[in-house]
Amino acid sequence: MEIFIVGIVVVALMVFVSTKIKKSAGQAFVPEFIEKDEFAIAKPEGFMSPLEGNSEFLFEAYSRGYGEKNTRNIRQAQAFLTVTSGLNFDGEGAKAKSLADKILSERVLGNASGDEKVFLLESEKTEDDFSMIDFRKIVESRQRQKTYNLQVLVLQPFRDVYIHRINEMINSFRLK
């Protein structure tokens, strides 16, 4: 009888811990506005950002879901923010364009103060035997003497699923 009671307690404890883990994991994919020393960005619903210090990027986020068939090990969508010292706006833009198989759209913007230049790029590229859409927002800050490159990749079949969330992320990204 004591074994039965201990078994019930163990099962109840396992259910409790499992529920807490699922709740915590679900919270990772809720939308949030992330503010760092140098930038701010909205992380849309369905994207998770790794814990501080566990990423080689200034900002990183990725979707919960993976692709299908030959892309089953690749996230449906991923975002990365890198920064380079120096004013390398033209170089970063040229590099992004050179990695593309097909340019879908590109725009260069400036701000009123003249401190920042912005390059928006949407391109398509093929890796192995699958297609990805590559969204870029490259921002050059004369004040900081740095160039920021926000890249959002989405598997081609999932573009329509993520386009609003990608636009939210790209449009919300700003330097402080």
Side-chain angles (χ1 to χ4, degrees):
M1 185 67 169
E2 290 98 19
I3 293 174
F4 181 69
I5 293 171
V6 170
I8 289 175
V9 170
V10 168
V11 168
L13 184 60
M14 287 173 46
V15 167
F16 175 76
V17 169
S18 173
T19 303
K20 287 288 189 186
I21 290 171
K22 285 180 184 176
K23 185 176 181 182
S24 294
Q27 289 294 323
F29 291 97
V30 298
E32 67 179 301
F33 193 74
I34 298 171
E35 288 199 56
K36 302 284 183 165
D37 292 339
E38 297 182 49
F39 70 94
I41 190 168
K43 179 187 70 77
E45 181 178 359
F47 280 84
M48 183 176 116
S49 214
L51 295 175
E52 297 283 329
N54 292 342
S55 176
E56 63 187 87
F57 302 102
L58 200 54
F59 168 78
E60 178 181 6
Y62 47 83
S63 65
R64 180 182 299 203
Y66 288 86
E68 300 166 343
K69 297 179 183 172
N70 62 332
T71 59
R72 68 181 171 271
N73 294 326
I74 300 170
R75 301 268 183 184
Q76 292 173 357
Q78 317 170 62
F80 311 99
L81 176 62
T82 56
V83 62
T84 55
S85 293
L87 302 176
N88 195 18
F89 185 77
D90 294 331
E92 289 289 320
K95 181 180 172 185
K97 287 169 59 171
S98 74
L99 295 172
D101 294 333
K102 181 179 179 184
I103 306 292
L104 303 174
S105 71
E106 63 180 294
R107 262 188 332 181
V108 176
L109 310 168
N111 69 359
S113 70
D115 180 49
E116 293 178 3
K117 286 196 294 188
V118 177
F119 178 59
L120 300 172
L121 177 70
E122 181 181 352
S123 63
E124 187 177 319
K125 64 182 184 177
T126 303
E127 293 184 12
D128 298 324
D129 57 347
F130 61 90
S131 237
M132 298 189 89
I133 304 297
D134 185 350
F135 296 87
R136 303 271 184 144
K137 183 173 187 177
I138 298 170
V139 181
E140 177 186 79
S141 171
R142 285 190 175 85
Q143 179 184 6
R144 289 197 175 94
Q145 294 291 303
K146 293 181 180 180
T147 304
Y148 298 81
N149 186 345
L150 175 63
Q151 177 183 27
V152 184
L153 296 168
V154 63
L155 291 171
Q156 174 71 38
F158 299 96
R159 183 189 185 281
D160 292 341
V161 173
Y162 286 97
I163 190 65
H164 295 297
R165 291 179 260 187
I166 291 168
N167 285 336
E168 178 184 352
M169 197 179 306
I170 295 281
N171 292 334
S172 71
F173 173 65
R174 63 176 173 77
L175 301 181
K176 290 176 144 185

